[in-house]
Amino acid sequence: MNTKRIILKIIFVTLTLAACTGLLVLLVAAIGKKSKEHCKDYVIKIKGAQNNFFIGEKDVLKLITAATDGRIKGEPITDFNLRKLEQVLKDNAWIQNANLYFDNREVLHISVTEKEPVARIFTTTGRSFYIDSSAKQMPLSDRVSARVPVFTNFPNKRFLSEKDSALLNDVKKTAWFILNDPFWMAQTEQIDITEGGTFEMVPTIGNHVVKLGSGDDIDKKFHRLLIFYQQVMSKTGFNRYNFIDVQYAGQIIGSREKITKVDSIQLKKNVERLLQEAKQAQKDTISAMPMNEKENIEQENSKPRLTGSSGQASKTTTTVKPKLIVNKERKKPKAVMSKKVA
């Protein structure tokens, strides 16, 4: 009985050794074959936001050839450090991700995904750059200009403070909302950053400026502005009010104070200065809008469906009418409220 077990063990060990030897032979043969294989060709694929490529195939090829001493085709496959080459591509300011591999035909595939710009920023000195969805700075491109929200008067600092980083994050949140809403993307000409770090939107249609405050609850602020557009300015016209304040929950404040001639001249100078320093295309409009308030129009929560218990605007807006509050000695703007106030 013991003899039979010993024989079975010997057979098992022998078969195991034979299998291991066979695998080792195959591995050595594969390595030997791999060392003799050479790169026959390469294919570069670039993925970008809406196919707006800020980096081209020539740029990618230049990065790869620089990392491989200028040679790709005809080089042994074993000489390619694919992980190192991927990192070289990822270090580029325009590249989000990169993936390299060889197929069974010895063709090198290079797949690149670009970063997506969400905003273009002009500093107080006219320097310009993009930021991506992670609020990281990106350089401009000579190939194409991204159609993204424009922000002006950002602090021109080499190293951002904690306050500046928070402001940049607010820029990202505000820009991301505008970028994903076709109406506000079309209606927003630019957003100016005030000395206090708040936002003021200059619209495409209308001679008014919108005070947005910070980037917190930016969707609710634009929702209140949309209510004012639909229920008031659609009747009075988009040029009746010079300033609209939507930064406070549950209310909309407007002003009809006119911009002086001196302010208009200064605004024109600011536009020309920024355009000249940034060397920007004609479609980019940069301006600085001074703000002064004289007369206030306040929209409060007249019905439960406009605001909840938290004071935030509700999605139901069709039955809510903004309420006008003016000084008693002034006449009521007929286009703002009806004769009977609910």
Side-chain angles (χ1 to χ4, degrees):
M1 191 71 178
N2 292 333
T3 305
K4 186 177 180 180
R5 289 182 178 180
I6 294 174
I7 295 174
L8 290 176
K9 287 183 179 180
I10 294 174
I11 295 174
F12 177 76
V13 171
T14 303
L15 292 176
T16 303
L17 290 175
C20 292
T21 303
L23 290 174
L24 182 61
V25 171
L26 291 175
L27 180 61
V28 172
I31 294 175
K33 182 181 178 181
K34 200 71 175 178
S35 63
K36 296 180 181 179
E37 293 178 345
H38 293 73
C39 178
K40 294 181 179 179
D41 202 354
Y42 60 86
V43 177
I44 299 176
K45 294 183 179 180
I46 302 176
K47 299 178 182 178
Q50 300 178 353
N51 294 323
N52 293 325
F53 301 136
F54 296 91
I55 186 169
E57 292 185 6
K58 292 183 179 179
D59 301 316
V60 174
L61 181 59
K62 185 177 180 180
L63 293 173
I64 295 295
T65 53
T68 57
D69 297 329
R71 297 182 298 271
I72 297 180
K73 289 184 179 181
E75 292 300 304
I77 292 179
T78 54
D79 289 352
F80 289 86
N81 188 335
L82 298 184
R83 289 188 178 181
K84 180 181 178 181
L85 294 177
E86 288 177 352
Q87 190 58 48
V88 168
L89 294 176
K90 291 178 183 178
D91 290 339
N92 184 273
W94 274 104
I95 297 177
Q96 179 70 33
N97 193 22
N99 184 29
L100 280 72
Y101 66 92
F102 280 97
D103 62 15
N104 55 4
R105 296 182 179 179
E106 292 85 49
V107 176
L108 176 62
H109 291 260
I110 306 170
S111 179
V112 171
T113 302
E114 286 187 340
K115 292 181 180 178
E116 181 180 359
V118 298
R120 179 165 185 178
I121 297 177
F122 285 84
T123 67
T124 52
T125 59
R127 186 172 68 90
S128 182
F129 57 90
Y130 294 114
I131 62 170
D132 63 8
S133 56
S134 300
K136 294 182 180 180
Q137 296 188 22
M138 303 165 57
L140 303 182
S141 173
D142 295 332
R143 296 174 57 87
V144 65
S145 179
R147 186 175 179 272
V148 292
V150 175
F151 291 74
T152 68
N153 299 328
F154 189 82
N156 186 48
K157 298 179 181 179
R158 184 177 180 181
F159 300 102
L160 299 181
S161 63
E162 184 177 350
K163 182 179 179 181
D164 296 331
S165 298
L167 176 60
L168 194 63
N169 189 56
D170 275 356
V171 170
K172 182 202 71 173
K173 290 190 295 184
T174 304
W176 188 254
F177 173 82
I178 296 174
L179 194 62
N180 287 278
D181 190 300
F183 175 78
W184 292 119
M185 187 61 192
Q187 174 63 355
T188 303
E189 182 72 20
Q190 69 184 57
I191 293 181
D192 298 326
I193 302 173
T194 67
E195 293 182 358
T198 59
F199 299 143
E200 295 178 352
M201 184 194 75
V202 179
T204 304
I205 300 176
N207 294 327
H208 56 277
V209 174
V210 181
K211 293 183 178 182
L212 295 172
S214 67
D216 296 334
D217 297 324
I218 195 65
D219 55 335
K220 297 180 177 63
K221 294 173 182 179
F222 275 102
H223 179 66
R224 290 195 288 273
L225 180 59
L226 183 61
I227 293 175
F228 195 75
Y229 276 3
Q230 291 175 336
Q231 300 187 12
V232 178
M233 299 191 75
S234 62
K235 301 176 182 178
T236 63
F238 276 68
N239 297 327
R240 182 176 181 84
Y241 301 102
N242 293 93
F243 306 104
I244 302 172
D245 192 334
V246 296
Q247 58 185 317
Y248 303 110
Q251 67 179 22
I252 302 175
I253 303 173
S255 173
R256 289 182 293 178
E257 182 178 358
K258 296 182 179 180
I259 301 175
T260 64
K261 184 176 181 181
V262 176
D263 292 332
S264 299
I265 295 175
Q266 184 61 42
L267 182 140
K268 183 178 180 180
K269 290 181 179 179
N270 290 340
V271 173
E272 293 176 350
R273 177 177 61 83
L274 287 176
L275 290 177
Q276 182 178 3
E277 292 178 354
K279 296 180 181 179
Q280 188 51 29
Q282 294 181 355
K283 64 178 180 179
D284 294 316
T285 305
I286 309 302
S287 63
M289 183 72 69
M291 300 288 292
N292 289 311
E293 294 189 3
K294 183 178 180 182
E295 180 184 6
N296 292 333
I297 300 174
E298 181 174 351
Q299 179 187 359
E300 299 179 342
N301 304 329
S302 59
K303 291 188 179 181
R305 282 188 285 182
L306 179 60
T307 60
S309 58
S310 61
Q312 297 179 348
S314 169
K315 294 183 179 179
T316 304
T317 60
T318 55
T319 60
V320 180
K321 294 183 179 180
K323 187 182 296 183
L324 175 66
I325 299 178
V326 295
N327 295 330
K328 293 182 179 180
E329 65 272 16
R330 297 183 181 277
K331 296 181 180 181
K332 298 179 180 179
K334 295 181 180 180
V336 179
M337 65 169 287
S338 59
K339 296 181 179 180
K340 294 182 180 181
V341 181

